[in-house]
Every structure is written in C-alpha cells, then in structure tokens.
Amino acid sequence: MSTPLSPTPRSTVRRNAVRARTDRADLHAVLDAGLVGHLGLVLPTGPLVLPTGYGRDGETLYLHGSSGAASLRAAASGVPVCFTVTLVDGIVYARSAFHHSMNHRSAVVQGTARLVTDPDERLHGLAVLTEHLAPGSWDHSRRPDRKELAATAVLALDLTEASVKIRTGPPGEDERDLGHSAADWAGVLPLRTVWGEPEPCPLLPAGTPVPGRISSRA
C-alpha cells in the first residue's frame, strides 16, 4: 500500500503545483533512479551546494564524504540542509521561446542531517551507498579498514519532509503561437542515459570475465 507525502510549509509545491506528486513511492522512484544528488547548506562564509553520491534505505538517505571536510562537519552540526536529485528525460521544443521546457523528475528533501557514529550503522550506510552506485559490489569488495573509516564521515537524512515534481508530455502552447511563421517544429527530444561497454582495469589478469552484476546493467 502506497504512503502519501506529508507536505509542510517548506515542502509544499506552489509553482506548477499540477506537476507535484503526493505518493511517497514517486519520491523513492526518483531517488532510486538517480546517481548524483546535491546537498545544500548555509555556512558562515555563505551558501554551499555539494554534488555527492548517496543511497537510500527505506526512509533514510545516507551520504558520505571526508571526515576532515568542514562542509560535512557543518552539515552534521544540526543546521538545516536540503538535498536534491534531478533527472532530465527530454528537451521540450515549443513554438514560443517562453514555453520551451524540460521533461524531468525531481526530488527535494529538507531536514537536518545526522552524523552516524554507531559502527554497525556506519558500515550499513556505506554498504547502502555502494550498492546504490554499483549493485552487488559490497559482497565483492574489501571492507573499509580502520584508517579508511576514520577518514570517512557518514550522514543520515530522514525523508519525512520532501517534495516531488514530474513533467511529461508535449509543450504547452498559446493558441496565438500555433500558426507563428518562425515556428518550424514543436515536440519533445527524449534524453536517455545508457551504460557503455565495461572497460577493464589494465591491472586485471588478461581474460578476466566481466561479472554479471556489471554486464547486466548494460
């Protein structure tokens, strides 16, 4: 059974509200389809937006970075943060410049990030991150050692306060533009991201087969 999003004053979509989605499953789908998100926060020196990988486990997003990074320490200090993921599905060509647009899926999560200190949850968070980026790799990789764990900070961000917007379909047109003499075409040019052929590390023994967990993604 699907669970609805619970909008707050911060997460309520007001601009183009018809594109808002209210089902939490739509939020999960956008987050699960993306690979890179952007973490925004305000530092004493000014606003900062960081591109970063992430992973989702239920209603928790896990993020990570260098434990020595001032920006990550600030994000875990209790200040409000915002995390966004955007997927572009196509460029919308219209008869007017104003109505050119993008078909897209986007998610915005707001809240307070929590520094993960429990050793078991830290490893779990890193496993979630690894599995989101490269499914099946956690069980086929060396676990982080003590030095690597000390150099890595893991943050957890709850998905309680979030919004989703999705645009699909052709351009919205003004009737006055339908016969405009300069408009030679209107519609959507789809954009798709596809995996290429795996490129083996040159240090692998010759003839090492590509595991199915990698080749199947292509």
Side-chain angles (χ1 to χ4, degrees):
M1 183 177 180
S2 61
T3 304
L5 292 170
S6 300
T8 67
R10 291 195 303 180
S11 65
T12 298
V13 176
R14 295 178 175 84
R15 173 65 179 156
N16 287 323
V18 68
R19 297 176 186 169
R21 296 294 188 270
T22 60
D23 196 321
R24 190 159 288 274
D26 290 319
L27 170 66
H28 296 168
V30 172
L31 295 175
D32 293 349
L35 289 173
V36 176
H38 291 82
L39 177 68
L41 68 159
V42 178
L43 300 175
T45 54
L48 180 67
V49 177
L50 299 168
T52 182
Y54 64 93
R56 180 182 72 87
D57 180 20
E59 297 302 318
T60 301
L61 272 186
Y62 286 104
L63 317 172
H64 81 304
S66 170
S67 58
S71 55
L72 217 62
R73 292 198 301 271
S77 68
V79 301
V81 301
C82 180
F83 187 80
T84 66
V85 173
T86 303
L87 307 167
V88 178
D89 296 319
I91 304 301
V92 180
Y93 289 78
R95 292 168 176 82
S96 70
F98 181 81
H99 287 300
H100 277 64
S101 186
M102 289 184 289
N103 282 344
H104 70 279
R105 294 162 284 159
S106 63
V108 178
V109 181
Q110 300 187 70
T112 302
R114 168 176 60 87
L115 180 65
V116 179
T117 57
D118 177 78
D120 291 337
E121 188 185 3
R122 291 189 75 209
L123 275 179
H124 175 70
L126 292 172
V128 169
L129 282 153
T130 302
E131 288 298 296
H132 181 70
L133 175 68
S137 292
W138 185 253
D139 289 336
H140 294 275
S141 305
R142 177 182 59 79
R143 298 290 189 272
D145 60 27
R146 292 179 62 184
K147 183 178 180 180
E148 292 166 337
L149 287 172
T152 305
V154 179
L155 304 183
L157 180 60
D158 191 87
L159 296 179
T160 297
E161 192 175 7
S163 60
V164 178
K165 286 179 72 174
I166 298 177
R167 190 203 189 281
T168 61
E173 300 277 22
D174 294 333
E175 187 174 353
R176 62 176 176 164
D177 295 325
L178 297 182
H180 196 284
S181 59
D184 58 353
W185 193 80
V188 177
L189 181 62
L191 175 63
R192 299 184 179 92
T193 300
V194 297
W195 299 106
E197 290 296 318
E199 301 175 358
C201 170
L203 299 181
L204 276 175
T208 300
V210 179
R213 60 190 169 84
I214 298 171
S215 60
S216 63
R217 300 184 81 178

